[in-house]
Amino acid sequence: MTLPENTADRTFQVDLRGLVDLLSHHLYSSPRVYLRELMQNAVDALTARHALEPAAPAGSFGIRLYADRSVVRVEDDGVGLTEADVHTFLATIGRSSKRADGIAEQRGDFIGQFGIGLLSCFLVADEIHVVSRSARTPGAPAVEWRGRGDGSYTVRTLPASARPAPGTTVTLTPRADAAEWTAPARVQHLARHFGSLLRHPVTFDDGSGGSAVPVNPEPAPWARTYPTPGARSRALAAYGEEVFGFTPLDTLELNLPAVGLKGIACVLPEAVPAGRRHGHRVHVKGMLLSEQAEEILPDWAFFVRCVVDAESLRPTASREALYEDDTLAAVRDALAERLRAWIARVAASDPELLHRFLQAHHLSVKSLAVHDDDILRMLLPWLPFETTDGHCTLDEFARTHRTVLVTSSVEEFRQVAAIASAAGLGVVNGGYTYDRELVHRLPEIRPEVSVADLDPATLTAHLDPVDRETELAAAAYLALARDALAVFDCDVALRSFQPASAPALLVDSREARHERTRSRLAREQEGGLWGDILGALQQEAPRAQLILNQLNPLVRTAVAIVEPELARTSAEALYGQAALLSRRPLRPAESSLINRSFLDLLAHALRKDS
């Protein structure tokens, strides 16, 4: 497209106050990040100074923090800025000094990448005062820059005495409404919070006249030397307890040299509530990035919390999360492998720890075993399941049941558990997350065991039929019962089974109920669009079964009833009791039936007594 001849390029106008408001409400989580941004800029300046003077002894350059009730000051011995640098980088929003000629190729060595960190100081102050002297230009004078919240700034050259050594000093005069974040005690706390693992020496002075105190007196615990491996393990576990507030079940040391990542993973001693994920504490080049970084580990690894320090991970613009890229994906995969290796080691060499781990985190391990064949082979026999033999491992269960039946829902298991156990059937509750899928994979580990889904026909086949004479004597009652329960698509049969205390068993599946619901809706919508759709989906609707127990005295009395209305009422009451024992949600019609049958039986009993 050709532009008209009178078209001229124009420059965007920036409302700095509006931009600061945007940062405070949408980019940064809290005004407290102003100190992290200042410390981060100082660390990057020190990194550039070391690149400029690689022979300088370690620890010769540092960061000094000062805060009293009137000012907050951050001073560093970094590479500093010339007057041209000040105009270029401090006065241009979005341009980072890390893009300067000569260090652009080293940007991976710096924490900040976005050139907007200094703006965060406007969250707590109306003016930023910077004095800097460049280490790149010998003899360069000190330069003063004052930036104000209205978008204006001034620059002037100062005598060498204003800043005799290379480096930068940033001074803030806090606003009254920012006292919460700029009080000396809070500044010291924030400095330790963000910078406890920094590799450069950092000190803090509260202006009381005492000596400055170190912010990061010791290196990271994994970077220290210990007299024995046991002492190292105890120290790492103690650090995890200090950071997270719990005693780890075990502590794994993490080390990925390819990306410069080191740290620890602490195994939680208690189960994590379903749907809840703990965040991880992530440092980048020593600076705390986030305490709630979930993306560092895969979803299934919610049984650990990590503290890591990495060199090659990229922060987002807010420096409060990690940028999702190939490096982060590779780190996530590598850490997942470390966790798998830990599980394998524990499974092979520490059965007591394995038992405590699975007792707390079996759901997490089940989610991993579904997708990881190695973990499946190692741990499936040791995972606990709810069975007709109680809560036990599949290995224990398979020793007594070569044929394992599994239900598709919790309610189906509860319907049949007592009856199946008495009949000698081995049934596993497959209604919990991952359980049914995992039980079906048991033959991969135990080829001698077969697994099948439990259906009503399987269970009914294991119940003893009654003799022909008893069946004929009960025929009239069974016919009345079937008629009374037809509204629930329920058949009625008479069998003998243990325990004798159970008068009736309601055999029904969720899929069968759904299919009956589709059939009913198809009939109601016959001829319409939805009727055609439901009709196309419709299968032969399986019926529920109410199986009466001939061994139960109450049932033997009921099938002998000759009065039709009383027979119908007793059948409804038996259906209602069996539905309650199944522990599934009752439909309104079933709740009404239970109430009505109870009142009818009570009225019959009262009339009989009178």
Side-chain angles (χ1 to χ4, degrees):
M1 181 179 66
T2 303
L3 294 175
E5 291 185 2
N6 61 350
T7 299
D9 290 336
R10 299 180 182 273
T11 302
F12 283 106
Q13 301 299 309
V14 177
D15 179 353
L16 189 58
R17 292 191 184 277
L19 183 57
V20 170
D21 182 71
L22 179 68
L23 293 178
S24 63
H25 289 94
H26 299 285
L27 185 63
Y28 295 126
S29 61
S30 165
R32 70 176 186 167
V33 300
Y34 81 93
L35 189 66
R36 185 197 64 197
E37 296 293 334
L38 290 177
M39 294 175 66
Q40 182 172 283
N41 286 341
V43 170
D44 287 342
L46 292 175
T47 302
R49 180 78 182 271
H50 277 290
L52 191 66
E53 303 176 33
S60 56
F61 305 134
I63 302 171
R64 293 166 294 282
L65 308 178
Y66 176 90
D68 57 22
R69 291 292 175 181
S70 58
V71 299
V72 174
R73 186 166 62 244
V74 178
E75 181 179 336
D76 67 68
D77 301 318
V79 71
L81 300 170
T82 65
E83 183 175 353
D85 292 336
V86 167
H87 283 289
T88 302
F89 301 119
L90 297 189
T92 306
I93 295 172
R95 179 173 295 177
S96 173
S97 59
K98 287 68 143 183
R99 299 189 179 110
D101 294 339
I103 63 171
E105 67 277 5
Q106 300 166 354
R107 287 184 65 200
D109 296 332
F110 299 99
I111 306 171
Q113 301 283 327
F114 298 92
I116 58 176
L118 198 62
L119 287 180
S120 65
C121 295
F122 287 122
L123 300 176
V124 297
D126 289 327
E127 183 175 284
I128 305 171
H129 179 214
V130 179
V131 176
S132 186
R133 186 174 181 184
S134 176
R136 289 199 189 90
T137 308
V143 181
E144 178 192 69
W145 178 88
R146 289 183 182 272
R148 290 170 286 275
D150 61 5
S152 63
Y153 71 94
T154 60
V155 179
R156 67 188 180 108
T157 302
L158 300 177
S161 60
R163 176 82 206 199
T168 301
T169 301
V170 181
T171 304
L172 308 178
T173 302
R175 295 193 305 270
D177 63 356
E180 175 186 358
W181 307 107
T182 57
R186 175 57 69 91
V187 172
Q188 184 178 11
H189 170 77
L190 291 176
R192 287 177 174 168
H193 180 72
F194 290 121
S196 62
L197 299 186
L198 288 175
R199 293 83 183 267
H200 305 285
V202 184
T203 61
F204 173 77
D205 183 353
D206 63 2
S208 62
S211 59
V213 296
V215 168
N216 52 343
E218 293 184 299
W222 47 82
R224 304 171 201 165
T225 57
Y226 299 91
T228 64
R232 183 179 185 86
S233 297
R234 289 190 293 273
L236 294 179
Y239 179 72
E241 185 172 1
E242 176 188 347
V243 171
F244 295 125
F246 62 82
T247 302
L249 196 63
D250 198 10
T251 305
L252 299 68
E253 187 166 358
L254 305 175
N255 187 9
L256 302 178
V259 292
L261 183 146
K262 293 185 177 182
I264 59 172
C266 299
V267 182
L268 291 159
E270 297 178 351
V272 179
R276 178 181 174 186
R277 294 184 62 194
H278 285 298
H280 308 286
R281 191 178 177 95
V282 176
H283 299 252
V284 174
K285 301 178 179 68
M287 182 68 73
L288 178 63
L289 181 78
S290 174
E291 296 176 275
Q292 298 297 325
E294 297 182 353
E295 60 272 23
I296 196 74
L297 287 180
D299 291 344
W300 54 261
F302 52 78
F303 57 86
V304 297
R305 294 192 70 182
C306 294
V307 184
V308 299
D309 184 18
E311 296 287 334
S312 301
L313 296 178
R314 292 174 56 195
T316 59
S318 67
R319 263 89 76 183
E320 295 184 328
L322 293 172
Y323 185 79
E324 188 69 46
D325 58 9
D326 292 341
T327 300
L328 179 57
V331 166
R332 187 163 47 236
D333 291 343
L335 293 180
E337 284 302 315
R338 297 296 187 277
L339 295 180
R340 290 188 181 95
W342 175 81
I343 293 175
R345 177 177 61 79
V346 171
S349 61
D350 198 337
E352 181 183 353
L353 178 58
L354 177 66
H355 173 73
R356 288 188 287 134
F357 170 66
L358 292 179
Q359 194 173 33
H361 301 294
H362 59 273
L363 182 62
S364 178
V365 176
K366 285 178 180 180
S367 70
L368 176 57
V370 167
H371 307 290
D372 191 308
D373 291 344
D374 292 335
I375 296 298
L376 179 80
R377 286 189 291 272
M378 284 188 295
L379 295 183
L380 181 59
W382 308 105
L383 291 173
F385 290 82
E386 185 180 6
T387 75
T388 46
D389 290 352
H391 282 84
C392 61
T393 67
L394 282 187
D395 194 59
E396 294 170 332
F397 195 66
R399 291 175 192 165
T400 54
H401 301 283
R402 292 305 184 189
T403 298
V404 176
L405 302 173
V406 58
T407 64
S408 60
S409 69
V410 174
E411 65 189 54
E412 289 175 19
F413 178 80
R414 289 170 176 168
Q415 287 175 23
V416 305
I419 311 303
S421 178
L425 296 176
V427 182
V428 178
N429 186 351
Y432 296 114
T433 306
Y434 310 118
D435 282 13
R436 183 168 175 265
E437 185 175 356
L438 286 172
V439 173
H440 271 286
R441 298 192 66 179
L442 181 61
E444 300 176 28
I445 315 301
R446 298 284 185 269
E448 69 278 9
V449 177
S450 62
V451 177
D453 287 323
L454 178 70
D455 58 35
T458 302
L459 181 63
T460 305
H462 283 81
L463 304 181
D464 295 331
V466 297
D467 58 70
R468 183 172 179 79
E469 182 179 345
T470 302
E471 181 82 31
L472 289 174
Y477 178 86
L478 294 177
L480 289 170
R482 291 185 185 110
D483 183 64
L485 301 178
V487 66
F488 299 113
D489 293 315
C490 182
D491 195 10
V492 183
L494 186 64
R495 296 287 188 273
S496 295
F497 55 85
Q498 295 292 339
S501 58
L505 169 66
L506 181 61
V507 180
D508 196 11
S509 67
R510 184 181 302 171
E511 290 77 9
R513 291 197 300 275
H514 289 173
E515 183 58 42
R516 291 197 297 272
T517 300
R518 281 197 297 268
S519 299
R520 186 183 72 254
L521 290 175
R523 291 193 299 270
E524 292 173 354
Q525 300 287 339
E526 187 173 0
L529 173 62
W530 283 110
D532 294 339
I533 294 174
L534 293 170
L537 295 174
Q538 183 179 353
Q539 305 172 6
E540 182 180 353
R543 306 187 72 193
Q545 276 191 315
L546 179 66
I547 303 175
L548 304 179
N549 187 4
Q550 175 63 21
L551 300 180
N552 183 269
L554 178 63
V555 171
R556 289 199 299 270
T557 301
V559 297
I561 296 174
V562 294
E563 183 181 340
E565 285 305 314
L566 181 58
R568 294 173 61 91
T569 299
S570 66
E572 291 173 342
L574 289 169
Y575 176 89
Q577 191 258 359
L580 286 172
L581 289 178
S582 72
R583 302 183 188 178
R584 63 169 172 79
L586 296 177
R587 291 171 284 179
E590 291 173 329
S591 298
S592 176
L593 174 139
I594 292 172
N595 292 332
R596 186 180 67 252
S597 61
F598 169 76
L599 293 175
D600 288 349
L601 288 175
L602 181 61
H604 176 79
L606 293 175
R607 287 196 303 270
K608 183 177 179 182
D609 290 341
S610 61

